[in-house]
Amino acid sequence: MEACPIPVVTVQTVPYDDQKPGTSGLRKKTMVFESKKNYLQNFIQSVLSSIDLRDRQGCTMVVGSDGRYFSRTAIEVIVQMAAANGIGRLVIGHNGILSTPAVSCIIRKIKAIGGIILTASHNPGGPGGDFGIKFNVANGGPAPDTVTDKIHQISRTLEEFAICPDLRIDLSRLGRQDFDLENKFKPFRVEIVDSVDVYLNLLRSIFDFSAIKGLLTGSDQLKIRIDAMNGVMGPYVRKILCDELGAPANSAVNCIPLEDFGGQHPDPNLTYAASLVEAMKGGEFGFGAAFDGDGDRYMILGQNGFFVNPSDSVAIIAANLPCIPYFQQMGVRGFARSMPTSTALDKVAKAMKVTLYETPTGWKFFGNLMDSGRCSLCGEESFGAGSDHIREKDGLWAVLTWLSIMAARKQSVEEIVRDHWARLGRNYYCRFDYEGVDQKAAFFMMRDLGAVITDKAFTRQKFAVGNSVYSVEKTDNFEYTDPVDGSVTKNQGLRIIFTDGSRIIFRLSLTGCVGATIRIYAESYERDPEKLNRETQAVLGPLIGIALKISEIHERTGRKGPTVIT
């Protein structure tokens, strides 16, 4: 306890008009937070002020980061401002490290009012990289629009913030640190907790660890390769997969969290996790996985580099939930996927006679469904999957689910995927990302494309490409009515649905920190057993050609091709 009470200071400030959180919080170039006066403090004050004063006084919040550059500085400011704003207790990961799933887990476990996560997810880090601040609410999930709108409104008129500039904490020392503050009746408490333990205990209650350990250590030991991409997942992989489940230490690579992720892009896909792909192609390892910066996204690879499309992964997990003790006990209530995700999950839902919900992109939409007991499993095509054990997508949960399925079925990754296709058909699927596009060019391209495809005449169009003819059945700009609270979310992506079930989707994303990202999705369903093993790009080539032609994306953006193909 401090000998003298620490003063609470009120600092005058000037509001910023660009602090509207997106689907994944507020993301900017790191230099914006570092160089703009009080930019960080303004946003933190807006977050804290969005919590009703009566709820805020004496409450508990969780704070964690993915370890990227500027996180320690930001955590110190958050601690100082939380104390000054009446928060009673902060629970912070050791050295500031907590994965996004672990933050959600701890919020729910200790019944905190919410949490602040310092991450820009799969975006690069370092002084020249990106930084982000995300606020999760009491259910452990991302703040809904009502909360983020309130934060934005406060940020636009903010004139002052409260802070205890003399308050200092030691992030390296586990345990409690108490502080007396001026004009406060109760001390302010900071608890530094092990980054992994609470989350590990939750996973133990979900999975049969002995079965997974048998798979990784038995006579027919499965050799695995896990790439933490120098993000937050290093300590989790080491402690859970290696120490707890017996995988050899050399199974895990890039497990030291680095402020700049080793100069790499911590995005688990075929482009940015190329070193894992190459390692898997050698045939030595039977299972491979990579995680993004904050641990909520994942990629699965089989022997010889066999790639599991994220949409297929969610569907296969859904079809094999009886392998998981948690679902044996809890049952399966429903599935949900984001609109751009392939309809492979729909086929599983139909076979299992389970309700399927199609939502906009953004995990917050799944939270309402899970809180109301409608949904047990959800997923997105952007390498995210999770269940109702928390309210975030969860990369390690997905990896342990895959290992559980392999242990139960005694099959390889590729065998499991091909069996799934043989039973329910294959959804050929790909995504083209055009990153860093000029925002005005992207906006006008999407606006004009929307006008074209939603015109009544377009629904009578037929496109002949080679031997294929695609007849348009339906077009729209996707909107979603939440079945729980009736809220309506509009303008969530342009859809072209053809009579054979094929789809082309266009989405504009602003979660990057430089320019806009235009995403094009193409999907075609195949039931014929003789046509399940074709090359994805060959099958989808005609649809991609149609998408490029009607959008004029290369002409409108000046690009010659996509940045990333998934």
Side-chain angles (χ1 to χ4, degrees):
M1 190 79 72
E2 297 290 322
C4 298
I6 298 171
V8 177
V9 178
T10 299
V11 179
Q12 301 302 305
T13 190
V14 176
Y16 290 95
D17 62 3
D18 65 343
Q19 294 193 331
K20 181 176 175 59
T23 57
S24 300
L26 180 70
R27 289 186 191 170
K28 301 287 180 183
K29 299 301 292 183
T30 307
M31 63 177 292
V32 173
F33 288 95
E34 280 196 293
S35 62
K36 286 193 173 184
K37 185 177 181 181
N38 297 331
Y39 195 85
L40 170 66
Q41 290 85 344
N42 276 25
F43 188 70
I44 296 302
Q45 184 63 62
S46 300
V47 169
L48 296 172
S49 296
S50 73
I51 305 169
D52 187 274
L53 185 60
R54 291 168 297 181
D55 297 328
R56 194 165 74 225
Q57 295 302 313
C59 75
T60 297
M61 291 187 71
V62 180
V63 178
S65 80
D66 61 10
R68 69 180 56 232
Y69 175 79
F70 195 63
S71 292
R72 283 181 172 267
T73 300
I75 289 173
E76 184 171 88
V77 170
I78 290 167
V79 171
Q80 294 169 345
M81 294 186 67
N85 279 273
I87 304 297
R89 177 174 68 140
L90 286 184
V91 175
I92 306 175
H94 191 212
N95 293 315
I97 293 290
L98 277 178
S99 71
T100 290
V103 170
S104 182
C105 169
I106 295 172
I107 289 173
R108 294 171 64 81
K109 175 72 174 178
I110 66 175
K111 295 179 169 57
I113 200 166
I116 295 174
I117 309 172
L118 304 176
T119 178
S121 189
H122 52 290
N123 291 13
D130 301 340
F131 191 78
I133 304 172
K134 180 179 171 183
F135 180 53
N136 281 27
V137 292
N139 75 345
D145 287 345
T146 52
V147 175
T148 56
D149 287 346
K150 186 176 182 181
I151 292 170
H152 185 221
Q153 289 167 7
I154 294 170
S155 75
R156 295 178 67 185
T157 58
L158 193 71
E159 296 181 348
E160 62 185 31
F161 60 85
I163 191 168
C164 297
D166 297 334
L167 196 160
R168 297 286 185 271
I169 62 164
D170 183 356
L171 290 173
S172 67
R173 180 161 63 89
L174 291 169
R176 296 175 176 175
Q177 302 171 41
D178 288 347
F179 304 88
D180 269 334
L181 310 179
E182 280 184 356
N183 303 319
K184 304 289 183 182
F185 295 111
K186 291 184 178 180
F188 171 68
R189 173 169 290 173
V190 174
E191 292 182 23
I192 308 299
V193 300
D194 184 273
S195 303
V196 182
D197 282 351
V198 176
Y199 175 69
L200 169 57
N201 285 334
L202 176 63
L203 294 180
R204 284 194 186 109
S205 73
I206 294 171
F207 297 100
D208 181 349
F209 269 30
S210 63
I212 300 174
K213 189 169 185 176
L215 179 72
L216 299 180
T217 62
S219 56
D220 295 323
Q221 174 190 352
L222 175 71
K223 294 192 69 175
I224 66 174
R225 180 84 164 183
I226 309 296
D227 191 344
M229 301 191 84
N230 293 121
V232 76
M233 288 306 293
Y236 296 85
V237 169
R238 290 284 191 205
K239 193 164 189 174
I240 298 173
L241 280 169
C242 298
D243 296 348
E244 185 83 10
L245 294 173
N250 61 5
S251 301
V253 297
N254 299 318
C255 283
I256 299 174
L258 299 177
E259 290 190 334
D260 65 348
F261 306 109
Q264 302 302 310
H265 206 123
D267 196 351
N269 60 39
L270 296 173
T271 300
Y272 296 120
S275 61
L276 175 65
V277 175
E278 286 305 309
M280 293 300 297
K281 283 181 179 178
E284 179 184 355
F285 304 101
F287 179 88
F291 302 104
D292 72 339
D294 65 321
D296 60 355
R297 299 171 193 253
Y298 72 103
M299 177 176 71
I300 301 293
L301 297 172
Q303 194 167 25
N304 302 315
F306 182 86
F307 172 63
V308 183
N309 183 285
S311 293
D312 278 348
S313 179
V314 173
I316 291 165
I317 288 173
N320 289 276
L321 287 182
C323 296
I324 313 301
Y326 177 84
F327 294 102
Q328 294 169 9
Q329 297 166 8
M330 302 295 291
V332 178
R333 290 179 290 281
F335 300 144
R337 62 167 175 82
S338 63
M339 180 274 287
T341 302
S342 92
T343 57
L345 184 60
D346 305 40
K347 312 295 189 300
V348 178
K350 184 177 180 180
M352 294 177 66
K353 298 180 180 176
V354 168
T355 303
L356 186 285
Y357 298 91
E358 183 179 39
T359 75
T361 296
W363 214 257
K364 59 190 175 185
F365 295 103
F366 298 139
N368 255 10
L369 297 171
M370 289 188 282
D371 286 347
S372 65
R374 286 172 164 84
C375 179
S376 299
L377 173 82
C378 44
E380 294 183 334
E381 46 72 34
S382 54
F383 296 88
S387 82
D388 58 355
H389 67 293
I390 56 172
R391 296 296 182 268
E392 284 281 5
K393 46 187 175 280
D394 190 343
L396 187 52
W397 173 90
V399 166
L400 294 182
T401 300
W402 264 96
L403 292 174
S404 299
I405 294 168
M406 294 177 74
R409 294 183 53 166
K410 296 179 171 50
Q411 290 180 300
S412 69
V413 170
E414 184 171 351
E415 287 169 340
I416 290 167
V417 173
R418 294 196 183 281
D419 276 4
H420 183 86
W421 291 344
R423 190 166 66 89
L424 294 175
R426 180 177 180 182
N427 291 73
Y428 286 95
Y429 182 89
C430 75
R431 183 180 100 182
F432 281 21
D433 286 7
Y434 292 80
E435 299 174 341
V437 175
D438 177 79
Q439 289 196 11
K440 284 187 177 179
F443 170 80
F444 287 121
M445 191 210 90
M446 291 293 289
R447 183 200 64 182
D448 295 347
L449 178 60
V452 169
I453 72 163
T454 55
D455 186 278
K456 286 184 179 180
F458 190 84
T459 57
R460 296 190 293 270
Q461 288 258 24
K462 291 186 178 182
F463 295 90
V465 184
N467 296 324
S468 303
V469 177
Y470 296 90
S471 300
V472 177
E473 181 176 272
K474 176 185 176 181
T475 64
D476 64 8
N477 192 338
F478 181 68
E479 66 177 57
Y480 173 68
T481 301
D482 192 304
V484 180
D485 59 23
S487 60
V488 178
T489 307
K490 298 184 177 182
N491 302 316
Q492 293 301 302
L494 302 174
R495 297 192 299 179
I496 304 171
I497 302 172
F498 298 94
T499 53
D500 67 349
S502 297
R503 300 192 302 164
I504 297 173
I505 296 163
F506 300 86
R507 254 191 84 242
L508 180 63
S509 172
L510 299 175
T511 55
C513 295
V514 178
T517 298
I518 299 172
R519 294 196 167 104
I520 300 177
Y521 310 81
E523 176 183 11
S524 181
Y525 177 65
E526 183 57 69
R527 194 71 182 87
D528 186 343
E530 300 298 319
K531 298 180 179 179
L532 298 179
N533 300 313
R534 300 169 65 194
E535 285 294 324
T536 297
Q537 295 302 318
V539 173
L540 297 177
L543 286 172
I544 294 165
I546 294 168
L548 298 179
K549 181 179 179 180
I550 63 175
S551 66
E552 299 180 336
I553 188 169
H554 293 164
E555 296 83 353
R556 300 289 294 263
T557 65
R559 299 297 181 87
K560 294 181 179 179
T563 314
V564 177
I565 299 176
T566 302

